[in-house]
């Protein structure tokens, strides 16, 4: 708003009022620009394959034209090879497709199908294209890091029926792949029951290479009428060439030098009602059907990383990142597929009445979920997971694509961002204001305006005069700075970065093989090609402290716009016929592009100086399977609207079960000005995002937590303090994600896989394995929320210990100042209660343990701690405790969660020494037994302590709860070391 000075008269006020009124009238409807993005019908290969599916469904005699040639089948060392033949209706010509089915030690099966002719490079490209001739087969090179050990035990079945080949694999040979020869299809069974079917509906379609021939106009003899069925068959035979060759959209033409080359397959999950995964979409956790009908989508889910700002809620439209991993869930079983393909991909989801025998063993729903996967190019490469638990799926997917990197501890605290803090003085001022208002924060961020004319690796000399001094002020409170660096490099004079990029020839090329030039924030730009190892080496050099002057060890990096976003490109990205290192078309690698970039930045930060030992932090907008190894993500440019707050929860839950749990949404909403209520509620929800950052668009009003004033500032501060208090819980959850692939925030189905009523619940979240259950308020004016409890354990209000019990819905009061958070009985929750300015200052603070008893008066929990900064934890330098409360003996114990043994290294010793004074200062027992009513002391025993300190009595207070409130007890200062073994006897 303009400021009114003393001399402003009524005239000015009138003008301002008019201006304000006009603004209200002309605020453009903020909504995604649909016309910029393709529908399935506008994407030739998607349209063709949907037609193919329609034709197959409408043709009674439909048979998939793919067969396995039995003579070609070989099986050796856990791998089956065969040739699949695709029969062309015309002339019965056959296309050879080499098939490999690999049975992995983990019980996962991998199926690949390629095209023999393309493998040999025996094709000609149109338009003198410089592209490679093979189908793209390197997605695994970027996405996979392990889990590929082939099973020793996999074996061909000796009792195979005619026309089938069967392989037993997996632990105890519980898994079986039944490969049908004609038509080709595979059923994956567990314990004799089919869980996943390939090509059941006959939609396998590998569009083989063919030359473009100019056909004479079609002639039809008089009186000869084609039946509908014949027309359909003809379509399927590939007669409709209208979308085969050069394709135009939004004024750009894709030259498609290889012609049509899609790969599509139907995958059915028999007896499964729910499918989850395939982020990123602004949609509910349980995926909807996509072929129209009541409340369903009519477009398939799309995966084509794009800059879809102001995106729309409840939509299968593509967003910034892609993880083609889907899991199907029913009571007693979770299975899934990972479609390893980096090209544009569409996925149709249909729920059909179950074809399964209703008398079959096992609990099944009466629904089959049928999916149809359609990718524009590349080989077929699919992993099949047979569970049977959701934990098996996240672990096995993590074995393949890597687990979440262990972040530095500051990275899971609060981040303060805006486009833009305008000067270094502004940054320092915000920093001081947080302190003045006693609001904790760890990281302040700079968007693109800090640079000199959007030239990355420079500072604007007028506004960021002394970045060093700024960084040092932040460091005084152990705070960090994150600056943005994007992949587009300004194409201008007197900018050494672009000169080197050009000279060293490290940019993405256009279809003619020249360095591609497009438009982004800086205007004319070129894009670093991180598929090129030389580009990564060069990139690493740019971040060295003596190269990127003004950065300090507490500077970290934000990679935005890496889909890549190209303002003047088709669908706001690069032309698909652009060419990357190795000769691959952009079409083939598009969804991988963002990951190669943020991974290069990760490597750069890991090597800024010789002997750098600290973990990098990089935030990325674009991602793919594997991104979790080197970045955090956020859900991009959302809106300051209640619907966007609501949608953030299922989106972040979905990231968690899809292997990339370090996720968050812009708190407050990026575009627009949130009401104070919305801002407050958003903070109260944002404290449950694994990645927790407030961010705002350049056109919005300032909204740092101290801005809204009473009572909002105080309420937001309370929320932030709760996040900081629970940082030990968050860090322990990250450790679990890092070692097992478990999500950091978890949906109901993941925690209660047997609870059918809760499978689709996606508006409340469990934090790690702690039993903390949060239900953020996402509705304007709400004063209560309904929390869904899946079991009949007692649940207690986090703040006042009000007890809720009984499976079903419970109403929890939630006036503005209240954050709905329950503790499930049976857990021990580690906290740090002392308010500090930043997480770094809490490093040696004492702990509080909250012991929440279950129905049997028992509880257990874990705490993981390390230095929060270096990689020493890899050498065993950490504290990992297991706490248990034995309900029968009333004894609380702390033991090592993992045996130290061989890992007792010098680094561990040093770490334990540094933590030797850190103690437990409080133990709270929630749901304390009535029998303790008159108890006043407990006996504490600590191992390794001095003789005199080994056994001592410590005071305990018992508090009788009133009304629905639980009884609770508190032991103040038992003085036991956090890294030690000890017992507290309450008996
Ligand atoms: C990421 O970087 C590592 C080296 O730190 C490299 O081995 C890996 O291939 C890279 N992955 C991607 C996806 O770029």
């Amino acid at each position: 708003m303009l400021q009114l000075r003393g001399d402003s008269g009524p005239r000015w006020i009138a003008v301002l009022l008019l201006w304000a009124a006009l603004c209200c009238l002309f605020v453009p409807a903020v909504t995604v620009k649909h016309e910029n993005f393709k529908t399935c019908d506008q994407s030739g290969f998607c349209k063709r394959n949907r037609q193919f599916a329609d034709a197959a469904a409408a043709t009674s005699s439909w048979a998939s034209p793919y067969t396995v040639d039995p003579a070609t089948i070989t099986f050796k060392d856990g791998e089956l090879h065969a040739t699949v033949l695709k029969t062309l209706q015309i002339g019965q010509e056959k296309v050879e497709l080499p098939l490999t089915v690999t049975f992995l030690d983990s019980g996962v099966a991998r199926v690949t199908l390629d095209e023999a002719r393309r493998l040999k490079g025996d094709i000609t490209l149109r338009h003198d294209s410089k592209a490679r001739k093979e189908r793209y087969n390197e997605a695994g090179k970027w996405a996979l890091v392990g889990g590929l050990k082939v099973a020793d035990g996999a074996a061909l079945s000796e009792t195979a029926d005619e026309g089938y080949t069967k392989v037993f694999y997996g632990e105890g040979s519980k898994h079986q792949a039944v490969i049908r020869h004609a038509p080709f299809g595979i059923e994956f069974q567990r314990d004799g029951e089919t869980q996943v079917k390939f090509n059941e509906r006959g939609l396998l379609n590998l569009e083989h290479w063919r030359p473009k021939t100019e056909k004479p106009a079609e002639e039809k003899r008089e009186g000869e009428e084609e039946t509908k069925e014949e027309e359909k068959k003809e379509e399927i035979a590939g007669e409709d060439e209208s979308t085969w060759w050069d394709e135009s959209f939004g004024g750009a033409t894709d030259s498609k030098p290889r012609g049509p080359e899609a790969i599509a397959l139907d995958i059915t999950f028999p007896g499964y009602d729910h499918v989850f995964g395939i982020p990123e979409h602004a949609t509910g956790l349980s995926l909807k059907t996509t072929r129209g009908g009541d409340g369903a989508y009519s477009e398939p889910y799309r995966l084509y990383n794009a800059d879809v700002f102001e995106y729309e809620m409840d939509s299968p439209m593509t967003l910034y990142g892609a993880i083609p991993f889907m899991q199907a869930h029913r009571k007693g079983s979770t299975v899934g597929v990972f479609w390893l393909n980096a090209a544009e991909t569409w996925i149709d989801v249909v729920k059909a009445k179950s074809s399964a025998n209703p008398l079959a063993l096992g609990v099944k729903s009466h629904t089959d979920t049928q999916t149809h996967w359609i990718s524009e190019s590349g080989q077929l490469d699919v992993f099949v997971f047979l569970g049977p638990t959701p934990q098996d799926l996240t672990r096995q997917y993590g074995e393949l694509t890597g687990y979440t990197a262990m972040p530095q501890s500051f990275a899971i605290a609060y981040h303060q961002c805006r486009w833009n803090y305008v000067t270094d003085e502004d940054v320092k001022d915000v920093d001081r204001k947080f302190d003045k208002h006693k609001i904790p924060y760890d990281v302040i961020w700079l968007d693109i305006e800090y640079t000199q004319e959007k030239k990355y690796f420079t500072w604007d000399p007028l506004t960021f005069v002394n970045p060093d001094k700024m960084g040092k002020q932040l460091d005084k409170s152990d705070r960090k700075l994150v600056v943005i660096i994007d992949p587009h490099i300004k194409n201008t004079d007197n900018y050494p970065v672009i000169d080197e990029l050009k000279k060293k020839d490290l940019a993405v090329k256009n279809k003619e093989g020249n360095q591609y030039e497009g438009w982004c924030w800086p205007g004319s730009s070129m894009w670093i090609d991180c598929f090129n190892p030389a580009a990564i080496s060069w990139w690493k050099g740019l971040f060295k402290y003596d190269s990127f002057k003004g950065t300090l060890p507490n500077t970290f990096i934000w990679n935005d716009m890496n889909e890549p976003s190209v303002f003047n490109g088709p669908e706001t990205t690069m032309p698909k016929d652009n060419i990357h290192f190795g000769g691959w078309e952009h079409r083939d690698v598009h969804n991988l592009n963002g990951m190669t970039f943020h991974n290069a930045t990760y490597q750069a930060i890991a090597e800024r100086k010789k002997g750098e030992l600290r973990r990098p932090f990089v935030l990325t907008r674009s991602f793919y399977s594997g991104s979790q190894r080197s970045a955090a993500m956020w859900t991009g440019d959302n809106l300051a609207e209640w619907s966007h707050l609501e949608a953030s929860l299922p989106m972040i839950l979905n990231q968690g079960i899809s292997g990339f749990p370090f996720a968050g949404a812009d708190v407050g909403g990026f575009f627009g000005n949130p009401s104070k209520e919305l801002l407050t509620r958003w903070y109260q929800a944002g404290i449950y995002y694994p990645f927790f950052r407030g961010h705002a668009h350049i056109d919005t009003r300032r909204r740092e937590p101290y801005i809204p004033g009473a009572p909002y500032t105080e309420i937001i501060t309370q929320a932030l303090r709760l996040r900081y208090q629970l940082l030990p819980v968050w860090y322990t959850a990250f450790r679990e994600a890092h070692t097992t692939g478990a999500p950091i925030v978890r949906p109901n189905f993941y925690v209660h896989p047997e609870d059918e009523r809760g499978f689709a619940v996606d508006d409340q979240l469990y934090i790690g394995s702690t039993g903390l259950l949060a239900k953020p308020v996402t509705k304007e004016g709400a004063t209560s929320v309904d929390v869904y409890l899946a079991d009949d354990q007692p649940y207690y209000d986090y703040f006042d210990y009000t007890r809720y019990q009984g499976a079903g819905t419970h109403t929890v009061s939630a006036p503005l100042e209240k954050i709905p958070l329950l503790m499930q009985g049976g857990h021990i929750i580690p906290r740090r209660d002392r308010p500090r300015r930043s997480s770094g200052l809490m490093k040696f603070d004492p702990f509080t343990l909250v012991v929440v008893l279950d129905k049997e008066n028992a509880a257990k929990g874990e705490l993981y701690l390390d230095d929060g900064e270096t990689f020493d934890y890899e050498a065993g330098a950490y504290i990992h405790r297991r706490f248990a409360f034995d309900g029968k003996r009333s004894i609380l114990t702390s033991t090592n969660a993992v045996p130290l043994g061989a890992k007792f290294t010098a680094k561990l010793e040093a770490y334990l020494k540094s933590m030797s004074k850190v103690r437990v200062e409080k133990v709270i027992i929630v749901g304390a037994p009535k029998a303790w009513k008159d108890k006043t002391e407990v006996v504490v025993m600590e191992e390794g302590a001095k003789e005199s300190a080994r056994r001592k009595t410590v005071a305990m207070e018992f508090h009788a709860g009133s009304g629905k409130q639980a009884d609770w007890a508190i032991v103040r200062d038992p003085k036991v070391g956090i890294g030690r073994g000890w017992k507290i006897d309450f008996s």
Side-chain angles (χ1 to χ4, degrees):
M1 252 302 201
L2 296 174
Q3 251 182 356
L4 289 176
R5 289 270 154 76
D7 60 347
S8 54
R11 198 165 56 97
W12 273 107
I13 292 177
V15 169
L16 273 176
L17 285 176
L18 181 66
W19 175 74
L22 285 174
C23 281
C24 287
L25 283 176
F26 293 115
V27 167
V30 179
T31 171
V32 68
K33 299 196 171 40
H34 269 283
E35 64 281 12
N36 287 357
F37 298 96
K38 289 181 184 176
T39 60
C40 175
D41 229 30
Q42 290 167 322
S43 203
F45 73 95
C46 186
K47 179 180 179 187
R48 292 194 297 276
N49 278 285
R50 259 195 165 186
Q51 283 174 347
F52 190 90
D54 289 340
T59 312
S60 51
S61 60
W62 172 248
S64 168
Y66 295 80
T67 54
V68 178
D69 175 359
T72 61
I73 300 173
T74 61
F75 182 84
K76 193 165 167 269
D77 299 335
E79 216 162 62
L80 180 140
H81 292 274
T83 301
V84 170
L85 298 172
K86 174 183 182 184
T87 306
L88 307 180
Q89 260 88 341
I90 330 144
Q92 298 297 300
E93 192 192 330
K94 289 183 164 62
V95 181
E96 270 183 42
L97 311 173
L99 167 77
T100 305
V101 187
T102 311
F103 300 95
L104 303 174
D105 210 29
S106 56
V108 174
R110 179 185 195 177
V111 180
T112 64
L113 190 66
D114 210 321
E115 187 179 346
R117 191 164 179 184
R118 295 271 307 265
L119 273 169
K120 287 185 227 129
D122 178 22
I123 64 168
T124 42
L125 303 181
R126 299 165 62 242
H127 305 300
D128 298 321
S129 168
K130 313 267 183 303
R132 286 273 279 264
K133 293 180 174 173
E134 300 95 318
R135 283 181 170 266
Y136 184 63
N137 59 6
E138 291 187 355
K141 181 177 145 188
W142 304 103
L144 304 177
V145 289
L148 294 177
K149 188 173 172 295
V150 175
D152 300 328
L156 273 185
S157 162
E158 303 192 340
T159 60
D161 309 330
E162 188 74 36
Y164 292 86
T165 302
K166 297 184 184 178
V167 179
F168 287 104
Y169 67 107
E171 204 189 315
S173 296
K174 279 189 204 146
H175 299 170
Q176 193 179 183
V178 181
I179 300 162
R180 186 183 58 209
H181 301 167
F184 165 62
I186 310 182
E187 288 197 5
F188 295 90
Q189 305 179 341
R190 192 186 63 228
D191 295 324
E193 247 193 291
T194 300
Q195 311 291 342
V196 181
K197 293 183 191 177
F198 278 13
N199 204 31
E200 188 203 18
R201 291 188 288 157
L203 308 186
L204 173 63
N205 186 25
L206 184 142
E207 294 178 340
H208 61 284
W209 181 83
R210 61 211 99 187
K212 185 169 198 280
T213 48
E214 304 305 331
K215 278 205 218 148
E218 265 180 45
E219 282 172 46
K220 212 178 277 175
R221 261 181 289 159
E222 199 75 28
E224 206 178 42
E225 284 271 298
E226 271 185 323
T227 65
K228 254 217 134 60
E229 196 136 313
E230 269 165 331
E231 258 173 41
K232 284 258 158 58
K233 274 192 179 155
E234 204 161 78
E235 255 173 35
I236 292 153
E239 289 302 285
D240 176 15
E241 288 192 24
S242 60
T243 58
W244 280 11
W245 314 105
D246 312 41
E247 236 177 299
S248 294
F249 179 77
T253 298
D254 174 4
S255 62
K256 289 172 70 185
R258 302 178 303 214
E261 54 173 336
I263 173 72
L265 175 67
D266 62 275
I267 301 176
T268 298
F269 303 101
Y272 289 84
D273 219 340
H274 293 274
V275 284
F276 305 112
I278 56 169
E280 183 183 22
H281 302 98
T283 178
L285 189 67
S286 180
L287 300 175
K288 286 191 184 181
T289 65
T290 59
R291 284 299 207 127
D294 257 3
Y297 299 141
S298 52
E299 287 285 306
Y301 287 93
R302 187 182 190 205
L303 295 174
Y304 189 60
N305 297 349
D307 187 353
V308 186
F309 58 89
E310 295 170 347
Y311 54 83
E312 170 176 82
M313 297 295 90
D314 194 14
S315 162
M317 255 182 105
T318 196
L319 289 176
Y320 309 90
I323 300 179
F325 173 41
M326 178 187 275
Q327 38 203 304
H329 182 74
R330 63 172 166 84
K331 190 171 175 171
S333 181
T334 314
V335 298
V337 292
F338 170 35
W339 177 270
L340 180 50
N341 187 300
E344 180 185 344
T345 297
W346 300 77
I347 304 142
D348 263 319
V349 176
V350 172
K351 309 225 173 148
K353 216 166 157 281
S354 180
S355 53
N357 173 4
L359 299 177
L361 290 174
V363 198
K364 280 191 172 181
S365 85
H366 299 293
T367 307
D368 290 350
T369 296
Q370 301 177 332
T371 63
H372 184 202
W373 299 68
I374 307 165
S375 288
E376 182 174 19
S377 69
Q379 62 170 2
L380 176 83
D381 193 354
V382 195
F383 292 81
V384 179
F385 306 82
L386 294 179
T389 68
Q391 289 70 27
D392 291 327
L393 272 266
T394 45
R395 181 173 40 79
Q396 291 171 340
Y397 173 78
E399 266 167 29
L400 292 169
T401 63
Y403 297 130
T404 294
M406 202 57 209
Q408 283 204 42
S409 46
F410 79 80
I412 62 172
Y414 176 60
H415 300 255
Q416 179 63 47
C417 187
R418 111 165 246 111
W419 177 20
N420 222 101
Y421 291 114
V422 292
T423 62
D424 50 356
E425 288 304 326
D426 188 12
V427 169
K428 291 195 284 184
D429 182 53
V430 171
D431 181 62
R432 280 189 293 265
K433 287 205 170 106
F434 267 90
D435 284 351
K436 184 167 158 236
H437 291 86
K438 298 193 161 51
I439 303 173
Y441 92 97
D442 268 56
V443 193
I444 190 160
W445 291 52
L446 295 177
D447 209 318
I448 51 178
E449 311 300 332
Y450 79 91
T451 59
Q452 182 176 27
E453 296 156 353
K454 316 290 187 299
K455 292 184 284 195
Y456 301 114
F457 308 100
T458 69
W459 300 85
D460 186 314
L462 298 177
T463 52
F464 285 83
V465 183
N466 198 338
D468 255 70
K469 212 167 150 205
M470 171 178 72
K472 282 180 187 148
Q473 177 179 318
L474 296 173
D475 189 51
K476 277 193 192 136
S477 317
D478 215 342
R479 291 188 177 132
K480 322 289 171 189
L481 179 74
V482 170
V483 299
I484 199 167
I485 298 277
D486 289 349
H488 48 258
I489 306 297
K490 183 167 180 157
N491 191 13
T492 186
D493 296 334
N494 299 321
Y495 180 32
V497 179
I498 190 72
D499 295 343
E500 283 181 29
L501 181 83
K502 287 184 190 165
K503 200 173 85 226
K504 294 178 192 273
D505 196 17
L506 303 174
V508 181
K509 308 277 174 60
N510 63 18
K511 64 176 186 290
E512 281 86 34
N514 303 316
Q515 293 177 340
Y516 169 72
E517 192 213 311
W519 203 261
C520 205
W521 294 126
S524 169
S525 304
M526 290 183 173
W527 275 259
I528 177 175
D529 182 10
C530 289
F531 289 90
N532 182 351
I536 297 174
S537 309
W538 172 68
W539 192 244
K540 289 199 270 194
L542 297 177
F543 289 84
K544 306 269 186 211
Y545 296 119
D546 55 3
S547 173
F548 190 0
K549 296 240 167 57
T551 58
L552 303 176
N554 69 341
T555 314
F556 294 90
I557 302 298
W558 171 14
N559 284 159
D560 197 356
M561 313 295 277
N562 50 338
E563 294 75 22
S565 176
V566 179
F567 294 162
N568 62 339
E571 301 195 88
T572 329
T573 190
M574 259 180 201
K576 284 177 170 167
D577 47 12
N578 268 8
I579 294 182
H580 287 265
F581 178 78
W584 300 112
E585 276 196 293
H586 185 70
R587 167 189 345 274
D588 299 319
V589 300
H590 175 84
N591 284 345
L592 279 168
N593 184 80
M595 176 163 76
T596 60
F597 179 63
H598 72 68
N599 191 56
T601 305
Y602 178 94
Q603 293 178 53
I605 298 306
E607 296 175 24
R608 281 189 289 187
K609 68 163 198 262
K610 231 176 145 178
E612 175 62 87
L613 299 167
R614 295 162 325 128
R615 305 167 216 168
F617 172 78
V618 179
L619 179 74
T620 182
R621 191 170 71 182
S622 178
F623 56 87
Y624 190 72
S625 298
S627 281
Q628 67 273 13
R629 303 190 301 259
S630 56
M633 64 75 72
W634 93 108
T635 61
D637 297 346
N638 59 0
L639 303 180
E641 287 176 6
W642 289 91
S643 61
H644 280 249
L645 165 58
E646 193 173 3
S648 69
L649 300 175
M651 288 177 80
I652 287 163
L653 287 169
N654 198 13
Q655 288 291 130
I657 60 165
S658 304
F660 193 5
F662 198 2
D666 282 345
V667 171
F670 180 62
F671 290 104
N673 293 303
S675 68
K676 291 179 178 183
E677 181 190 351
L678 175 56
L679 183 67
T680 304
R681 289 303 197 188
W682 213 317
Y683 271 99
Q684 291 178 336
I687 60 169
Y688 302 122
Y689 299 160
F691 173 64
F692 176 30
R693 182 184 75 154
H695 187 33
H697 189 272
I698 196 165
D699 293 337
T700 62
R701 289 189 288 270
R702 287 283 174 119
R703 56 163 101 131
E704 289 68 32
Y706 49 78
I707 299 271
Y712 305 98
T713 289
E714 182 146 320
I715 296 171
I716 293 169
T717 306
Q718 289 310 322
L720 283 157
R721 291 211 180 289
L722 179 57
R723 171 70 171 216
Y724 276 73
Q725 182 180 53
L726 288 173
L727 284 176
V729 156
W730 287 97
Y731 202 62
T732 303
F734 268 87
R735 169 69 182 189
E736 198 185 336
H738 174 68
T739 50
T740 71
I744 291 159
V745 289
R746 302 173 185 173
N748 197 78
F749 94 86
Y750 192 90
V751 182
H752 303 283
E754 305 293 315
D755 175 43
E756 279 179 298
R757 278 196 300 169
F759 287 167
V761 171
D762 59 7
D763 55 359
Q764 56 184 46
L765 20 94
Y766 284 91
I767 307 171
S769 298
T770 58
L772 281 165
L773 173 58
K775 171 77 189 235
V777 176
T778 57
K779 294 269 188 283
E780 187 166 18
T783 54
S784 68
V785 289
D786 287 337
V787 181
Y788 176 75
L789 302 185
D791 57 14
D792 69 346
Q793 283 295 347
Y795 284 73
Y796 299 95
D797 184 282
Y798 181 84
F799 303 96
D800 66 13
Y801 310 149
T802 299
R803 183 183 170 116
Y804 300 88
Q805 193 165 14
T809 298
H810 295 257
T811 301
V812 174
S813 107
L816 189 64
E817 66 279 7
K818 177 80 189 284
I819 303 172
L821 177 62
L822 302 182
M823 305 182 285
Q824 185 195 31
H827 296 274
I828 298 176
I829 300 163
R831 312 193 306 214
R832 273 178 156 158
D833 289 355
R834 304 196 177 182
R836 302 276 184 198
R837 281 169 292 156
S838 74
S839 71
L841 303 176
M842 300 169 77
K843 205 165 179 171
F844 301 110
D845 277 355
F847 286 85
T848 293
L849 297 181
V850 183
V851 180
V852 190
L853 299 184
D854 67 8
K855 285 188 295 185
E856 270 78 46
N857 282 345
K860 56 186 190 316
E862 289 190 15
L863 171 68
Y864 174 83
L865 282 173
D866 60 28
D867 65 20
E869 213 176 328
T870 72
F871 287 97
D872 284 359
Y873 68 90
E874 289 177 348
Y878 54 77
I879 289 172
H880 192 171
R881 306 302 301 179
R882 176 162 297 141
F883 308 114
F885 188 87
D886 179 333
K888 293 206 181 69
R889 295 161 58 223
S890 289
I891 294 180
L892 175 66
T893 52
S894 166
T895 53
N896 263 317
V898 279
L900 291 177
K903 282 230 151 174
F904 203 87
T905 58
K907 280 183 170 161
L908 170 59
E909 217 174 325
Y911 179 63
L912 288 179
K913 197 156 171 241
S914 76
M915 296 295 287
S916 65
K917 294 222 165 62
V918 179
R919 64 187 205 282
V920 176
E921 67 170 348
K922 230 184 297 172
V923 176
I924 300 169
I925 314 275
V926 179
K930 272 269 183 285
W932 295 4
K933 187 158 56 72
D934 300 318
K935 238 181 133 40
T936 56
E937 57 188 27
V938 293
V939 178
V940 177
M941 285 152 285
E942 186 175 23
E943 73 178 19
K946 282 200 208 84
E947 191 88 26
S948 56
R950 221 168 263 166
R951 188 189 166 91
K952 60 198 171 204
T953 55
V954 174
M956 186 203 93
E957 292 161 25
F958 181 89
H959 297 267
S962 57
K964 281 181 69 189
Q965 202 185 21
D967 296 339
W968 53 288
I970 182 164
V971 177
R972 276 189 225 279
D973 221 354
K975 287 204 175 65
V976 285
I978 196 66
R980 294 246 177 85
W982 45 258
K983 285 183 186 170
I984 301 179
D985 189 344
F986 289 77
S987 65

